[in-house]
């Protein structure tokens, strides 16, 4: 199976899934299976309120100074592929922050960006050992992220609308 094959990547967005939640859950499940990782999740971002859903809403200002990877994501710079948290430069990531809040050893910080706005991060991770991410895996993630962006954006907007109704 060719990871970089566009038609293969589009099959991840299974047409049987009818809700945004189902689509996003399916994507996370399939990416985890395809990359054979221990965990995969999407950190959803609300750019209007500058907060992230991890699994509850957290204001960005509460962690942004401790997370250089998130600063890179906010600047809509390319995704970051960490092969070994313990061997990565402190300019790239904060090891203490990663070990306290995430616990992974290797991961991808995939930036879900649309029209110059960060809507979230896709984060496949491995816990117990370093992992070298292959060129095919890089291509797979970089091809998937733009396809994922519209779904994540729509999901965030749906959450914003739901909150508006709850506050009324």
């Amino acid at each position: 199976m060719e990871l970089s094959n566009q038609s293969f990547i589009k099959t991840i967005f299974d047409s049987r899934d009818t809700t945004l939640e189902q689509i996003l859950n399916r994507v996370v499940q399939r990416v985890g299976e395809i990359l054979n990782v221990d965990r995969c999740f999407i950190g959803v971002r609300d750019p209007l309120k500058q907060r992230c859903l991890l699994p509850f809403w957290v204001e960005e200002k509460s962690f942004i100074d401790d997370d250089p990877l998130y600063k890179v994501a906010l600047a809509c710079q390319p995704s970051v592929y960490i092969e070994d948290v313990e061997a990565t430069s402190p300019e790239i990531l904060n090891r203490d922050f990663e070990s306290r809040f995430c616990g992974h050893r290797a991961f991808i910080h995939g930036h879900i960006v649309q029209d110059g706005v960060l809507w979230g991060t896709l984060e496949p991770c491995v816990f117990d050992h370093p992992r070298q991410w292959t060129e095919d895996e890089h291509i797979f993630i970089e091809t998937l992220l733009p396809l994922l962006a519209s779904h994540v954006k729509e999901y965030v907007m749906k959450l914003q609308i739901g909150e508006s109704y709850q506050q009324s």
Side-chain angles (χ1 to χ4, degrees), residues 6 12 18 26-27 40 59-60 65 81 85 105 107:
Q6 189 81 4
I12 293 172
T18 56
R26 174 78 170 158
V27 168
C40 185
E59 290 188 19
E60 291 172 344
D65 289 337
Y81 296 75
V85 167
R105 181 74 183 267
F107 64 101

Side-chain angles (χ1 to χ4, degrees), residues 15-85:
S15 62
R16 294 174 301 172
D17 298 327
T18 56
T19 68
L20 286 168
E21 291 84 358
Q22 289 174 327
I23 291 168
L24 295 176
N25 283 330
R26 174 78 170 158
V27 168
V28 166
Q29 176 189 356
R30 293 287 290 137
V31 169
E33 291 168 357
I34 290 164
L35 296 179
N36 192 29
V37 295
D38 298 324
R39 175 179 71 192
C40 185
F41 67 93
I42 296 173
V44 176
R45 176 176 185 258
D46 179 345
L48 294 176
K49 295 185 179 178
Q50 297 183 334
R51 61 187 185 161
C52 299
L53 188 58
L54 303 166
F56 49 88
W57 288 112
V58 177
E59 290 188 19
E60 291 172 344
K61 66 182 178 184
S62 70
F63 66 88
I64 194 165
D65 289 337
D66 294 326
D67 190 356
L69 283 174
Y70 197 72
K71 288 179 185 177
V72 168
L74 281 174
C76 298
Q77 294 179 7
S79 298
V80 180
Y81 296 75
I82 302 296
E83 295 183 350
D84 186 354
V85 167

